[in-house]
Amino acid sequence: MARIITFGEIMMRLQPSGYKRIMQANSFDIEFGGGEANVAVSLAQYGEDVAFVTKLPNNVIGDKCLRELKGWGVDTSKIARGGNRMGVYYCEKGCSQRGSNVIYDRADSAIAQAQISDFDIKSILDGAKWLHWTGITPAISDGAAKITAEILKAAKQKGLTVSCDLNYRKKLWSKEKACQVMSELVRYVDVLISNEEDCKDVFGIEADGTDINAGVVSAEGYTHIGKRLMKTFPNLRYVAFTLRESYSASRNGWSALLTDGDKAYVSKKYNIDIVDRVGGGDSFGAGLIYSLINDCGAQESIEFAVAASCLKHTVEGDFNIASVDEVRKLAGGDGSGRVQR
C-alpha cells in the first residue's frame, strides 16, 4: 500500500448548533478541521496508509485533537508538539440566501510559529509515495512557507508525487503575495487542484463564460485555464477544477473537470442540498488522490472525486466520513438516497 503524507494546519472548529448565528449562540460545538487534515481523514476512510504532519501545542487541546485524528485512522506519529496555542475558527453555517461565515483566530498558532528544526523531513517522507499540501499552509506565516518549501524540495528529490490545492484565503494574505509565493512552490507540484475562483485570485487567470456570483461556470473556460497553467508550469501532469454553481447557500450545482493538457475529462453534475459545505474541496482532493494513486483512469478519477465531495456536503463537520463503496455507488448513478436496510 502506498504511503501518503499531508502537511498543514489543523484547527479547532467552534460552531453554534444548527443554523444559529454567532450572535445567537450561548454555546459552541467543538470539531476539528483543516485542509490537509481533512484530506488525511478522507483517505484513511478509503483504507489508505496516510499520515498528517503539523505542530500542536503540548496541552490537553492538542491531546484531544490527536485522539480525534487517531480515531479516524490517521497516523499522527510525525506531528511535532510545542508552541503556545492551537488555531481556532468559528463557523456560522449559511442557509438559503445567507452565506456561511468563517472567523479565524489562528495568529501565533503552534504551526505558524514552527521552525524547520521541529520536523525530521527525511523521516517524515521515508517510504512515502505522495505528498499533499494546500495554499493555506504557506499563507499562515513566512515560517510555515519556508517549511513547506523545504518539504517540497525533499519530496521531489525522493521522487514523490506532489499535489496541491490552491485554496486562496483572502483573510490570510493578499493576492499579490499569494501569486509571488505560490508561483515558486507550484513548480514542485504534479497535480494542481483549484476551485472556480482560485486561479483568478492567485494567478490572475479568469475563465471565459463564467460569472461566479450568478452561479454560471463554463467547463470549456476552465479547460483553457488548465492548458495555460500547464504551459506556465510544465512540471504539472494534471490540473483539476471543482465547479460550483451557487444557486444559494443551501443548494449548489457541483461538478468538476480534470485535464492532462491534451484532453479534458468532465464529470457528471450533482444538484446538492447542502448540510455543511466546509471541507467540500478537501474531500474532492482526497477522492482524486485516492483514484490516481490506485491507477484509475482519468474519467473514473474525476467521477470518484466529485462523487466523494458530493457526499461530503451532506456530512456535518470538516471531515468526509464516507467509504469507497458509498462513493462508487453514487458515482455509478445511485443517488436516490433510499434507506439502506
Side-chain angles (χ1 to χ4, degrees):
M1 183 186 297
R3 183 165 174 81
I4 304 166
I5 308 296
T6 73
F7 171 71
E9 181 173 30
I10 187 169
M11 294 178 289
M12 185 164 63
R13 168 177 167 168
L14 299 179
Q15 178 176 299
S17 60
Y19 289 92
K20 282 186 177 181
R21 306 204 71 178
I22 290 173
M23 289 291 288
Q24 297 175 285
N26 294 310
S27 63
F28 294 93
D29 296 328
I30 296 176
E31 305 274 356
F32 292 95
E36 299 86 354
N38 298 344
V39 169
V41 170
S42 285
L43 288 167
Q45 305 321 295
Y46 301 152
E48 295 297 320
D49 176 12
V50 59
F52 173 60
V53 180
T54 191
K55 186 175 183 180
L56 291 175
N58 195 13
N59 58 29
V60 70
I61 301 298
D63 293 343
K64 180 174 174 60
C65 181
L66 285 181
R67 179 182 293 183
E68 182 80 7
L69 289 168
K70 289 177 182 178
W72 293 116
V74 175
D75 179 357
T76 62
S77 63
K78 304 301 182 183
I79 291 178
R81 302 299 297 272
N84 295 323
R85 66 185 299 255
M86 183 176 189
V88 175
Y89 84 95
Y90 298 84
C91 182
E92 181 182 278
K93 289 204 305 180
C95 183
S96 191
Q97 278 66 50
R98 176 173 60 82
S100 296
N101 186 32
V102 168
I103 299 172
Y104 291 127
D105 178 16
R106 65 200 305 178
D108 300 323
S109 66
I111 188 65
Q113 296 296 310
Q115 305 294 318
I116 293 174
S117 58
D118 290 323
F119 303 97
D120 183 346
I121 295 176
K122 182 180 183 299
S123 173
I124 287 169
L125 298 178
D126 273 350
K129 183 176 181 180
W130 196 293
L131 171 70
H132 178 75
W133 62 288
T134 80
I136 296 172
T137 303
I140 295 168
S141 68
D142 290 343
K146 291 177 181 177
I147 297 169
T148 303
E150 291 302 312
I151 291 177
L152 291 178
K153 291 173 185 176
K156 295 316 295 181
Q157 288 173 357
K158 294 177 74 68
L160 274 69
T161 298
V162 175
S163 58
C164 170
D165 189 333
L166 282 178
N167 262 353
Y168 175 71
R169 296 291 184 266
K170 64 183 179 182
K171 293 183 179 180
L172 295 181
W173 59 358
S174 68
K175 294 179 181 179
E176 292 75 18
K177 186 167 184 179
C179 181
Q180 176 188 354
V181 174
M182 294 299 288
S183 293
E184 291 301 316
L185 298 182
V186 169
R187 299 186 188 281
Y188 299 98
V189 172
D190 301 284
V191 180
L192 185 65
I193 302 166
S194 176
N195 68 13
E196 66 283 348
E197 295 182 277
D198 287 339
C199 281
K200 176 184 176 183
D201 290 333
V202 177
F203 298 121
I205 306 173
E206 188 170 3
D208 294 333
T210 292
D211 185 336
I212 303 300
N213 293 325
V216 177
V217 294
S218 163
E220 183 179 358
Y222 286 96
T223 301
H224 292 312
I225 288 182
K227 290 181 178 179
R228 287 181 63 182
L229 285 169
M230 296 182 90
K231 287 182 179 178
T232 303
F233 303 101
N235 48 288
L236 293 174
R237 288 165 40 202
Y238 290 107
V239 178
F241 297 95
T242 56
L243 304 176
R244 185 184 298 276
E245 298 171 291
S246 294
Y247 313 133
S248 72
S250 303
R251 188 165 175 78
N252 287 179
W254 186 248
S255 60
L257 71 83
L258 178 69
T259 181
D260 58 10
D262 294 322
K263 184 177 179 181
Y265 302 86
V266 182
S267 77
K268 65 171 65 72
K269 185 174 81 172
Y270 298 90
N271 287 315
I272 309 173
D273 294 307
I274 297 172
V275 172
D276 191 338
R277 65 166 282 179
V278 177
D282 304 320
S283 58
F284 173 85
L288 189 63
I289 292 168
Y290 171 81
S291 299
L292 294 176
I293 207 168
N294 285 288
D295 298 319
C296 298
Q299 189 65 48
E300 182 181 350
S301 295
I302 198 66
E303 295 291 359
F304 185 93
V306 80
S309 188
C310 177
L311 288 175
K312 165 61 196 79
H313 285 74
T314 71
V315 179
E316 288 273 10
D318 271 58
F319 300 154
N320 189 24
I321 313 305
S323 68
V324 169
D325 287 345
E326 287 175 316
V327 177
R328 285 179 174 163
K329 184 176 180 181
L330 178 58
D334 187 353
S336 65
R338 292 177 63 84
V339 176
Q340 303 300 305
R341 301 184 191 277

